[in-house]
Amino acid sequence: MIITILYYLLTGAIAFLMICNFIRSKKWQEEVLYILVLLPFLLRLFRLK
C-alpha cells in the first residue's frame, strides 16, 4: 500500500515538472516532445494504463 502511494506521488511529481517545462518551452518541437513523454505519466497517474 505504501509503495503504491509513493509510486503515484513520484509519478505526479514527474508529471508536474514536465508540465512546468512544457509551459516554459518556446519551441513547438519541444512542446510536442513533452506531450509525448507526459502522456504515459498522466495515464498512469489516472490509472488508465
Side-chain angles (χ1 to χ4, degrees):
M1 181 76 175
I2 291 179
I3 293 174
T4 305
I5 292 171
L6 289 174
Y7 175 75
Y8 284 114
L9 286 174
L10 182 63
T11 304
I14 292 171
F16 176 74
L17 291 173
M18 280 193 225
I19 290 171
C20 289
N21 285 337
F22 173 77
I23 292 172
R24 286 189 277 158
S25 178
K26 300 294 183 198
K27 298 178 185 175
W28 69 271
Q29 293 96 345
E30 287 181 2
E31 291 174 355
V32 171
L33 181 64
Y34 279 123
I35 289 174
L36 288 175
V37 173
L38 182 63
L39 189 62
F41 282 99
L42 291 178
L43 289 175
R44 232 175 251 139
L45 192 60
F46 295 129
R47 299 180 183 182
L48 296 174
K49 60 177 177 175

